[in-house]
């Protein structure tokens, strides 16, 4: 009956699924076509380069035996730097030329390795190419075999900037600690699945299927054998140089259907051993130094003890749990103690007892503040008996100096914490990780730390809420701080778009929900003033996007406070505390002497992230049976830009009369800068968890699997009262897709990093359901062309030139949100979304991505109610769909009996 509801989210109806209408495969580039035309010259150039390469490598190996007698034996492979057609799938290097792909680079460069030092297959293909032998044309896609006798080019692509800078002066006897990425993908690949012919008997088909499955299992076994073999060879190498393996970590634990394409080893090794290893081990794709951990630089001063009248009540027994992976927690704190799941607390620091879980960071703690922000958000009570909404679990990974010891490998620490608490009786699914590296993230490859987050989210039903990281007050080039930018003439907020202000590792993770910080408002105290001059302006210290591969980061922002400055030249600068009104109110540790139980004395993205974890936990409380992917989607779906940023979009949608092209370009730039800082905006718990008469959110239930080349169409019926021609109400439509797939660290491209990647497209204004099916699905056309329609005015769009903000694409990450404002009378009778799967690195036909989808309609002026009409229309569509399913099942049964 009308009104009999609690404004719960409504279901999205999946109406159709089948093969997707895909675009044409990329055509060969001009250089490839030229190589096919002049076969003799191309073959001659490559043959000469190969001859020089093999000769110099053999000479190097011979010299090593003379100069380093007794040195450990290394794998027989030879590392090679190729340049290939960048638009072609690089897997042809493996199946056609028998190269192992070590690492993909930019601009078509690829590091490969060959166990056959003479490169017999490659040379044979060159000869066949000259003679136009069938199947040899793939060699035209290899544009260059790079002549690199001293490996300068290769070193520049695998060493960090700092290591490359000091490579020539590395001391043979000095110990170095490095993280080395080792590829172990081999040359084996999944065979194509057989296709059943019309005359194939059941027995013949079963035999073919069995033979194929055996070959697929053999491929996975070979990958595992390669990994073990390379781990063993590295252990022998380190023994010779008396090196120490601090950690050895797979990028993916081996399991059926999972390709362990790489592992990372943290070594403590002499300079001499390091040079021998890097120059002669062919399967290395990355060598970097361990990164320092950066946390808020101003932890506040010890204040006067203030008695608290708060007596919190423990959460409900079945309340969600949030695990705080941090510096420990003052568990006996009066404002936290009833909500601490003390039986599960654990210290992961090497050399310390598992029970050493206290927050030893002086003076006010770090993990303690984070835990308080999860429990209380913006409203830290001064008295009363508030019921705590969640359980807090304590995973300590930082020491008293707020640092992670070099013996504790960050990906390992994160995995141990997630596995321990996700496997605990509460089966914790939300984790707050307010820990970042000191510098901006590298964009060459996904880091092992960030890739671990992606892998954990693929393996487990978890959400990791990650801080974006803080700019230091003062840095060291190229890691610049706020004062460095100001001194160089880059004022706030302009310096926030500099590469030195980019998201800090591991915030670039595709699966992490990365959180930036915004300021409360402009504030002054004495000689000090905030950087922000308006409510919800970007915090002066908050790192910005985009992340790796131009992915939108941070996805959301919350109030983390602001830095303060004076008007002096150069200005005085503090990260927080000097203006209490500019800082968030946080629970603080009292372990280090008397002080207030809560105070406004510090700021940072560390304290913005737990406020988002709090919203995610509120979503879990409402939807406990739904996957963590949906929690991420609903948090992002609920986010909106603050008023000053929305005004930029309003002016882009409706430029004022007389706006000049330079003024419009400046407006585009301002909106782009805002997007880099804000992501999709400030999330809201009410919007994420419930609806109103004027706002309705529809969601999928559970995780939906999708294969490459598959299309799923969801249909939303638009009630007639929402689209009457006499009405012109502004309706905002938000769409968020959240998905996960298997990552692969050695790829330097978003589409190849994931086993299967996913995006979405929406129906156009004036486009009917049938026409949308024709446009989205392969088998729906029957020779007819879809009718044109008008694209909605999306803020981003999948084609940047069609969006309001043209520096970003909505389908660049694994959480894809877009929104548009349209007039109600322009809506069609059905609004449809097509979710499409695309092939990533995996050729396994059973490989899938898993996704959830959310769609929201909101009447911005509140002129009419939409929840009840939409609810009724969806109930009617559900009933119709069930009838169609029953009819199809009956038809199938009839056919089976004939």
């Amino acid at each position: 009956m009308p009104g009999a509801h609690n404004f719960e989210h409504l279901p999205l109806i999946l109406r159709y699924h089948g093969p997707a209408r895909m675009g044409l495969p990329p055509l060969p580039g001009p250089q490839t076509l030229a190589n096919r035309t002049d076969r003799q010259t191309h073959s001659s150039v490559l043959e000469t380069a190969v001859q020089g390469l093999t000769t110099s490598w053999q000479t190097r190996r011979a010299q090593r035996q003379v100069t380093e007698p007794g040195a450990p034996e290394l794998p027989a492979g030879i590392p090679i730097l190729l340049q290939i057609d960048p638009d072609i799938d690089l897997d042809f290097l493996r199946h056609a030329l028998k190269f192992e792909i070590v690492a993909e680079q930019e601009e078509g460069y690829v590091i490969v390795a060959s166990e056959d030092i003479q490169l017999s297959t490659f040379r044979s293909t060159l000869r066949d190419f000259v003679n136009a032998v069938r199947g040899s044309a793939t060699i035209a896609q290899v544009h260059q075999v790079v002549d690199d006798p001293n490996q300068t080019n290769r070193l520049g692509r695998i060493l960090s900037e700092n290591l490359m800078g000091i490579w020539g002066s590395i001391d043979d006897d000095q110990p170095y600690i490095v993280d080395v990425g080792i590829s172990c993908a081999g040359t084996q690949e999944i065979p194509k699945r057989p296709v059943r012919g019309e005359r194939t008997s059941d027995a013949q088909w079963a035999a073919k299927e069995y033979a194929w499955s055996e070959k697929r299992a053999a491929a996975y076994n070979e990958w595992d054998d390669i990994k073990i073999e390379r781990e063993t060879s590295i252990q022998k190498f380190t023994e010779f140089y008396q090196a120490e393996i601090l950690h050895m970590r797979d990028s993916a634990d081996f399991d059926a259907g999972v390709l362990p394409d790489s592992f990372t080893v943290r070594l403590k090794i002499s300079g001499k051993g390091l040079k021998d290893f890097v120059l002669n081990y062919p399967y290395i794709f990355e060598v970097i130094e361990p990164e320092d951990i950066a946390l808020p630089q101003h932890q506040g001063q010890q204040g006067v003890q203030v008695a608290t009248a708060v007596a919190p009540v423990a959460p409900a027994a079945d309340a969600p749990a949030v695990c705080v992976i941090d510096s420990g927690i003052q568990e006996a704190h009066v404002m936290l103690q009833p909500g601490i799941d003390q039986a599960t607390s654990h210290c992961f620091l090497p050399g310390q007892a598992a029970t050493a879980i206290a927050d030893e960071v002086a003076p006010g703690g770090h993990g303690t503040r984070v835990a308080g922000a999860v429990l209380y958000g913006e409203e830290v009570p001064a008295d009363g008996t508030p019921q705590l909404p969640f359980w807090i679990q304590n995973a300590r990974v930082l020491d008293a100096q707020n640092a992670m010891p070099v013996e504790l490998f960050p990906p390992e620490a994160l995995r141990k914490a997630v596995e321990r608490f996700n496997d605990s009786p509460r089966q914790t699914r939300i984790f707050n990780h307010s820990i970042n590296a000191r510098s901006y993230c590298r964009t060459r490859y996904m880091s092992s730390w960030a890739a671990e987050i992606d892998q954990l989210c693929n393996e487990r039903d978890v959400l990791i809420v990650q801080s974006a990281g803080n700019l230091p007050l003062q840095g060291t080039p190229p890691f610049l701080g706020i004062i460095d930018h100001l001194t160089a003439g880059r004022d706030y907020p302009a310096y926030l778009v500099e590469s030195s202000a980019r998201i800090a590792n591991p915030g670039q993770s595709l699966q992490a929900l990365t959180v930036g910080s915004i300021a409360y408002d402009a504030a002054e105290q004495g000689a000090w003033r905030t950087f922000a001059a308006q409510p919800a302006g970007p915090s002066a210290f908050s790192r910005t996007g985009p992340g790796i591969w131009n992915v939108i980061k941070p996805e959301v922002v919350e109030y983390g406070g602001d830095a303060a400055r004076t008007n002096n030249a150069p200005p005085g600068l503090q990260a927080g505390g000097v203006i209490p009104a500019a800082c968030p109110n946080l629970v603080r540790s009292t372990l280090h002497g008397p002080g207030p139980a809560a105070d406004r004395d510090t700021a940072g993205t560390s304290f913005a992230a737990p406020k988002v974890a709090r919203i995610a936990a509120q979503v879990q409380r409402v939807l406990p049976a739904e996957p963590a992917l949906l929690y991420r989607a609903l948090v992002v779906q609920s986010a909106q830009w603050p008023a000053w940023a929305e005004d930029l979009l309003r002016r882009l949608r409706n430029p004022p009369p007389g706006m000049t092209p330079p003024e419009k370009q400046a407006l585009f730039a301002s909106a782009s800068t805002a997007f880099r800082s804000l992501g999709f905006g400030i999330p809201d718990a009410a919007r994420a968890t419930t609806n109103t008469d004027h706002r309705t959110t529809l969601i999928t239930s559970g995780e939906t699997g999708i294969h490459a080349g598959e299309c799923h169409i969801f249909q939303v019926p638009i009630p007639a009262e929402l689209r009457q021609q006499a009405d012109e109400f502004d309706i905002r439509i938000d769409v968020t897709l959240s998905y996960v797939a298997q990552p692969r660290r050695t790829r330097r491209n978003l589409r190849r990093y994931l086993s299967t990647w996913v995006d979405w497209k929406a129906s156009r204004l004036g486009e009917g359901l049938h026409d949308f099916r024709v446009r989205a699905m392969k088998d729906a056309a029957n020779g007819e062309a879809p009718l044109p329609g008008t694209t909605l005015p999306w803020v981003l769009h999948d084609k940047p030139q069609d969006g309001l903000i043209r520096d970003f694409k909505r389908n660049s990450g694994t959480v894809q949100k877009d929104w548009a404002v349209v007039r109600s009378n322009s809506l069609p009778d059905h609004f449809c979304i097509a979710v499409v799967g695309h092939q990533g690195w995996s050729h396994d036909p059973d490989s899938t991505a898993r996704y959830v989808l959310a769609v929201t309609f909101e009447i911005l002026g509140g002129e009419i109610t939409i929840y009840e009409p939409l609810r009724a229309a969806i109930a009617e569509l559900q009933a119709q769909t069930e009838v169609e399913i029953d009819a199809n099942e009956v038809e199938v049964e009839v056919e089976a009996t004939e």
Side-chain angles (χ1 to χ4, degrees), residues 187 256 262 299 340 375 377 386 411 416 599 602 730 806 839 867:
T187 58
S262 65
Q299 289 292 328
I340 301 294
L375 290 177
K416 285 183 176 179
D599 203 359
T602 190
D730 281 341
R806 298 174 181 175
Q839 183 176 306
Y867 184 85

Side-chain angles (χ1 to χ4, degrees), residues 169-193:
S169 57
I170 283 182
D171 187 333
D172 282 355
D173 299 320
Q174 180 178 334
Y176 293 84
I177 297 178
V178 291
D179 292 338
V180 185
I182 307 292
S183 171
C184 53
T187 58
Q188 184 67 271
E189 63 180 336
I190 302 293
K192 287 187 177 180
R193 189 171 221 150

Side-chain angles (χ1 to χ4, degrees), residues 289-310:
E289 315 93 306
E291 295 181 285
D292 293 332
I293 300 300
L295 293 161
Q297 300 142 69
H298 182 89
Q299 289 292 328
Q301 303 299 318
Q302 196 66 57
V304 177
Q305 177 72 43
V306 177
T308 178
V310 180

Side-chain angles (χ1 to χ4, degrees), residues 435-584:
I435 304 173
N436 294 86
R438 191 172 300 279
S439 63
Y440 54 83
C441 70
R442 296 178 172 94
T443 56
R444 180 179 291 167
Y445 302 107
M446 188 67 76
S447 73
S448 58
W449 198 1
E452 195 70 42
I453 295 176
D454 293 341
Q455 177 60 22
L456 283 166
C457 293
N458 181 59
E459 291 175 7
R460 295 169 174 266
D461 180 22
V462 296
L463 172 62
I464 297 175
V465 181
Q466 172 67 50
S467 52
N470 304 314
L471 276 172
L473 297 183
Q474 186 164 14
T476 305
F479 308 127
L480 304 181
I482 297 174
I483 194 67
D484 303 308
H485 287 294
L486 298 179
T487 303
R490 295 183 290 270
D491 208 345
Y492 167 91
Y495 65 75
L496 291 176
V497 302
E498 297 291 317
S499 61
S500 58
R502 188 168 57 238
I503 293 292
N505 190 23
Q508 75 274 28
S509 156
L510 298 192
Q511 294 305 136
L513 180 54
T514 305
V515 184
S517 174
I518 52 174
Y520 288 99
D521 201 346
E524 295 187 23
Q525 185 159 323
W528 296 89
R529 62 181 176 87
T530 56
F531 280 75
Q534 59 194 347
S539 301
F541 50 75
S542 185
R543 289 187 173 275
T544 62
I548 191 171
W549 306 318
N550 212 42
V551 170
I552 295 165
K553 291 284 179 176
E555 286 92 351
V556 294
V557 290
E558 256 290 0
Y559 292 97
D562 199 9
R565 64 189 295 183
T566 66
N567 291 322
N568 302 340
L573 196 63
Q574 281 203 21
V578 68
I579 305 178
C583 297

